[in-house]
Amino acid sequence: MSLQIVIMAAGKGTRMKSQLPKVLHRLAGRSLVQHVLHTAGRLAARHTIVVTGHGADTVESAIAGPGLAFVRQMPQLGTGHAVQQVVPQLGDEGTVLILNGDVPLVAEATARALAEACAGERLALLTIELPDPTGYGRIVREPGTRRVLGIVEHKDATPEQRAIREVYTGMMAAPAAWLKRSVMALKNDNAQREYYLTDIVAMAVADGVPVVASPAASETEVLGVNSPAQLADLERRYQRAQAEALMEAGVRLADPARFDVRGTLSCGTDVEIDIGCVFEGTVHLADGARVGPHCVLRDARIGAGAVIHPFTHIEGATVGAGALVGPYARLRPGAELGEEVHIGNFVEVKNSTLAKGAKANHLAYLGDATVGERVNYGAGSITANYDGANKHRTTIGNDVHVGSNCVLVAPVTLGDGATIGGGSTISKDAPAGQLTVARARQVTLAGWTRPQKQKK
Ligand code: UD1
Ligand code: MG
């Protein structure tokens, strides 16, 4: 089947009350129109054309990619006018599927079924029955035969027509050559002085093109976003669906209503996730991993049985099996924790590997470091990895003990089994197996007395 896709994204989105074009507002971490493009991308269309208008430059630069064409609609005179702009780009063969840039959650199967219902021969409308159809175009059917006769917009509808609960969702699939002819014949003699795409339904009836109404599988997939409240509502529906799919697979969520995935989360068995966590990018939690409340994990792999304690922030990092991280820890890109590593409160790790059993439990910084097995890295110690111009590495061997409040001035190497006395500033390599201390010697001044307040 030859398929062409048109995504309408020129509208202003006045009710968002935002500088950002409506279709660029984010749902689950991705812009509304990116959701639609993602779905469109799975349908193997010959090409996909996005109609831009309001904020066109911003929208186009945000979503530009291979196989995507843009057509501008200036000014925006209605949905029919939007499709008119695309006509010169459309081939005459097969089916044109029209999607909306602000209806993000339409399912791939639904879009595919709509295109198949058209099959290059029929006008297929995606419809749904709503308890409150206010604002939507109503599907008008012939009494008795129930044949679709047309769509009447809410503002143009009679009180009887407004009682119809079957509505047009804004998505349709039409035979290409016929669509091109029909949209060019649209008029704007209606309540809004707009060129309504929906008027082509009556034209199809007149032309003898069969019209089919294809019902949507769920309300969520056809809901559009017009306001911040609708965006938030759709976000919660989307998150709920993700939460349910994970729970179905055995993941234990403390509260599916306080859970957000803005990307892809995959989990092994017996994974537990407490409240208020946010997962971004691609995150994997292996068997038995536990994530405490209010953690943010972005592009991370958490090993089997690892525990992420509350308020921990992990980005671009891997955590080994059985490791303990947090509370209040921060793993930045390139942090690779081996098995059974312990990272405690207010510890920051960046671009560093920690081998099995290494521990940094309190108030510390490890940047650009290679840390051996069983290392104990004391409270308040840091790697001074940046000289103001370049970054340098710190290498810490196996079984090293770094006391509290040390500064390791990179590049520097601590040999296996080295011990570094607390409060040391280490700017030269420390030999294996020995104690190295680099701080002023402690003195006690005999006979010293505290100053007294002078009497006047
Ligand atoms: C449209 C339908 C209505 C349907 C409803 C579903 C028409 C005339 N009406 O109404 O039957 O029930 O969607 O949500 O089609 N757009 C442009 N250029 C324009 C106008 C709109 O690109 O000149 C885009 C918008 O950005 C949006 C989409 O088309 O993505 C729908 O436009 P909107 O103004 O929301 O149409 P509705 O009045 O909601
Ligand atoms: Mg709308």
Side-chain angles (χ1 to χ4, degrees):
M1 180 176 66
S2 163
L3 179 66
Q4 307 177 77
I5 298 178
V6 175
I7 299 175
M8 295 192 292
K12 185 153 190 288
T14 314
R15 280 185 284 156
M16 290 304 291
K17 299 187 177 152
S18 167
Q19 299 290 341
L20 191 67
K22 177 166 77 173
V23 295
L24 294 186
H25 281 267
R26 286 176 178 275
L27 181 126
R30 253 195 302 183
S31 70
L32 299 176
V33 66
Q34 275 170 327
H35 282 273
V36 182
L37 287 169
H38 181 76
T39 306
R42 301 175 76 99
L43 298 178
R46 210 167 83 208
H47 56 198
T48 297
I49 306 169
V50 182
V51 184
T52 59
H54 185 78
D57 286 337
T58 319
V59 174
E60 291 172 15
S61 60
I63 64 176
L68 204 58
F70 296 101
V71 169
R72 293 207 179 179
Q73 183 199 15
M74 306 278 194
Q76 293 93 47
L77 303 178
T79 50
H81 182 251
V83 178
Q84 285 175 357
Q85 312 312 306
V86 186
V87 165
Q89 317 289 321
L90 288 177
D92 288 332
E93 297 301 307
T95 298
V96 178
L97 174 65
I98 300 175
L99 302 174
N100 269 323
D102 63 353
V103 182
L105 298 184
V106 62
E108 180 191 335
T110 301
R112 195 185 295 281
L114 190 62
E116 282 166 2
C118 166
E121 294 177 358
R122 295 175 287 270
L123 176 59
L125 308 171
L126 188 65
T127 61
I128 192 163
E129 294 232 3
L130 292 179
D132 176 13
T134 307
Y136 285 87
R138 308 298 205 281
I139 305 294
V140 178
R141 290 177 182 268
E142 189 174 55
T145 67
R146 306 291 299 143
R147 202 162 64 100
V148 175
L149 295 179
I151 297 175
V152 58
E153 290 304 304
H154 181 88
K155 285 187 179 151
D156 300 287
T158 63
E160 293 74 38
Q161 288 168 330
R162 286 188 180 183
I164 298 170
R165 292 194 297 124
E166 186 187 11
V167 305
Y168 171 56
T169 62
M171 290 168 269
M172 64 166 70
W178 174 83
L179 176 74
K180 289 170 70 175
R181 274 199 311 280
S182 307
V183 289
M184 295 319 292
L186 286 171
K187 302 216 164 40
N188 67 345
D189 47 0
N190 52 54
Q192 304 186 79
R193 295 264 145 235
E194 280 185 10
Y195 295 88
Y196 290 164
L197 179 60
T198 43
D199 285 348
I200 67 165
V201 180
M203 291 181 183
V205 173
D207 290 349
V209 173
V211 180
V212 291
S214 182
S218 79
E219 189 190 22
T220 301
E221 66 167 331
V222 298
L223 283 177
V225 171
N226 299 298
S227 65
Q230 287 175 343
L231 180 59
D233 172 52
L234 215 51
E235 176 82 33
R236 285 334 308 160
R237 290 173 186 244
Y238 182 81
Q239 295 300 346
R240 184 80 199 193
Q242 294 193 111
E244 273 164 17
L246 286 163
M247 291 189 295
E248 190 70 28
V251 177
R252 296 195 286 278
L253 299 179
D255 182 356
R258 286 178 290 172
F259 168 77
D260 289 82
V261 178
R262 301 173 189 154
T264 310
L265 172 63
S266 59
C267 296
T269 57
D270 287 305
V271 165
E272 290 183 19
I273 301 170
D274 214 319
I275 58 162
C277 293
V278 178
F279 299 89
E280 300 180 325
T282 305
V283 176
H284 178 71
L285 305 176
D287 294 352
R290 286 192 282 141
V291 183
H294 304 291
C295 292
V296 178
L297 279 71
R298 179 188 183 90
D299 296 323
R301 295 187 67 80
I302 308 301
V307 180
I308 311 301
H309 289 295
F311 298 101
T312 290
H313 193 282
I314 300 179
E315 177 179 5
T318 59
V319 172
L324 307 178
V325 182
Y328 298 101
R330 180 169 184 213
L331 304 183
R332 289 170 52 203
E336 291 179 22
L337 312 189
E339 286 173 35
E340 289 156 39
V341 163
H342 291 189
I343 295 296
N345 43 232
F346 305 107
V347 174
E348 174 182 349
V349 182
K350 183 218 79 169
N351 193 30
S352 295
T353 57
L354 280 77
K356 183 173 178 179
K359 295 186 172 78
N361 272 326
H362 329 269
L363 302 154
Y365 175 57
L366 279 162
D368 305 307
T370 304
V371 179
E373 295 185 6
R374 298 171 300 276
V375 163
N376 196 311
Y377 192 77
S381 290
I382 65 157
T383 53
N385 56 322
Y386 183 53
D387 61 14
N390 296 297
K391 304 255 171 78
H392 303 282
R393 284 202 81 79
T394 300
T395 304
I396 303 177
N398 294 331
D399 300 297
V400 169
H401 184 105
V402 178
S404 298
N405 237 30
C406 292
V407 180
L408 307 179
V409 183
V412 71
T413 298
L414 313 182
D416 288 348
T419 300
I420 307 299
S424 293
T425 295
I426 300 294
S427 52
K428 294 196 286 268
D429 291 353
Q434 295 184 53
L435 170 66
T436 300
V437 186
R439 62 176 187 238
R441 213 170 256 287
Q442 180 168 327
V443 292
T444 301
L445 302 184
W448 180 86
T449 56
R450 285 189 192 169
Q452 303 290 316
K453 196 166 178 93
Q454 285 180 358
K455 294 197 177 84
K456 293 236 171 101

